[in-house]
Amino acid sequence: MSILYEINEETLQDLINLSVGLFNPLKGFVNRDDYYSIINNYSLSNGNLWTIPITFDVDEETYEKSKTAKNLHLTYNKKVVAQIEISDWFEVNSQKDAIKIFRTNDLKHPGVSKEVSRNKFRLAGEPEIIDKSILLNALKPTETKEIFKNNGWKTIVGFQTRNPVHKAHEHLQRIGLEVCDALFINPLVGWKKAGDFSEEAVTESYKSMIENYYPKDRVHFDVLKTPMRYAGPREAIFHALIRKNLGCTHFIIGRDHAGVGNYYGKYEAHELVKTLKKKFNFGIELLLLGGPYYCTKCKQIVTEHSCGHNGSYIKEISGTTIRKIISSGKNPETEIMRPEILATLNNLKSEIFIRE
Ligand SMILES: [Zn+2]
């Protein structure tokens, strides 16, 4: 006996990402032991490093029924896309666990409020994809690794972002290009909070950057579909492990990676990496880089490592500052964003920002 269950877009993305190996060593939605091991020890119960629990939430009726049926057929837009043998049933206390995952349980934190809004009933198991067409446009490790190999790249640095390219990210990416054979720009385009940049804004800005400035034969661009969690340090490591699975040898973690508001310290992700490195093998080289800004005295992009002016002449550059400038109807200065990129954003046919 099997039950039909309609899944949402985030669960669909998790299904796809689990199936193609993006969340390796995870093969399926985690069980109770792995869930608590991840939130308490940053690892699966077998000791493998893993920082964000990938769980499958269902309503109470399905949860209870599935205890007898043990098998679910998952539908998306009423079409069966996958089936799953249930291996474990457990309830979570998201409000309580948020402290460990997000380091806060403030409901104003977009990741916390999203997590708390989910059903507390969770099912574990490895999904089997029935409708293979859902995998067609997925970002697949087999494909990126093939591309890296065919280009003869031995070292590839991954770059995570959710913003159009600005001068601070350009600075980090150029450091990556100095260190490695190639740069893989891999923006996250799954669920993001209202007010964040749209997928098109991010993608088009990078097309323009690669067309106008970057060495095309050493840069690869593709998007990663998974929700933003805004879980700061834990998500920085999650982002790195995904890029390792995609074939990257290096990954850049800058200032306030995957952060939001003032919930995390500027370099809290760096600190967590340094702590966990004593215990775990990451399998990917992490470039822990300072946050670049424009110094009006140096008259260039610098970081606190390279500028001797003690940060007294700072023009701050971040996705947040640029979002604020653009949404107030102004244009970011050329020190912050290249004119070609700004023009690209202004010429978008669709929305620059995600709406409520
Ligand atoms: Zn300076």
Side-chain angles (χ1 to χ4, degrees), residues 118-263:
R118 298 174 71 202
N119 277 300
K120 64 177 178 180
F121 304 101
R122 308 288 160 105
L123 303 178
E126 289 183 25
E128 182 197 327
I129 305 293
I130 293 171
D131 177 4
K132 300 271 196 271
S133 73
I134 63 171
L135 302 177
L136 276 181
N137 296 317
L139 178 67
K140 301 178 193 74
T142 46
E143 290 179 4
T144 47
K145 284 178 182 170
E146 185 75 10
I147 291 166
F148 299 163
K149 194 176 151 220
N150 289 344
N151 278 293
W153 300 334
K154 297 273 185 292
T155 53
I156 303 99
V157 58
F159 190 84
Q160 151 69 31
T161 183
R162 60 180 213 264
N163 292 307
V165 59
H166 50 65
K167 288 271 186 89
H169 281 178
E170 178 181 336
H171 182 87
L172 300 178
Q173 289 163 4
R174 287 187 193 273
I175 292 172
L177 280 165
E178 294 295 341
V179 175
C180 290
D181 294 339
L183 167 69
F184 178 29
I185 302 167
N186 190 212
L188 185 151
V189 299
W191 177 87
K192 293 189 278 190
K193 65 183 170 62
D196 266 18
F197 283 100
S198 68
E199 173 175 350
E200 201 191 1
V202 177
T203 304
E204 292 304 313
S205 80
Y206 271 104
K207 275 191 196 160
S208 170
M209 190 67 199
I210 293 166
E211 188 53 40
N212 289 295
Y213 293 100
Y214 281 156
K216 293 181 193 61
D217 57 343
R218 291 181 55 221
V219 175
H220 182 59
F221 178 92
D222 207 341
V223 295
L224 167 67
K225 268 214 156 147
T226 193
M228 242 342 263
R229 277 89 176 169
Y230 304 95
R234 273 184 187 266
E235 193 169 7
I237 295 170
F238 173 63
H239 285 163
L241 295 176
I242 291 173
R243 275 43 177 245
K244 175 180 80 170
N245 289 332
L246 286 165
C248 292
T249 54
H250 294 65
F251 183 70
I252 292 172
I253 299 182
R255 181 189 57 195
D256 198 21
H257 188 115
V260 61
N262 295 316
Y263 290 100

Side-chain angles (χ1 to χ4, degrees), residues 293 295 297-298 302 307-309 313:
Y293 53 88
C295 172
K297 207 77 169 163
C298 293
V302 295
C307 159
H309 300 114
Y313 304 90

Side-chain angles (χ1 to χ4, degrees), residues 293-303 306-314:
Y293 53 88
Y294 187 86
C295 172
T296 56
K297 207 77 169 163
C298 293
K299 291 197 170 47
Q300 69 175 76
I301 304 289
V302 295
T303 73
S306 62
C307 159
H309 300 114
N310 233 341
S312 316
Y313 304 90
I314 287 184

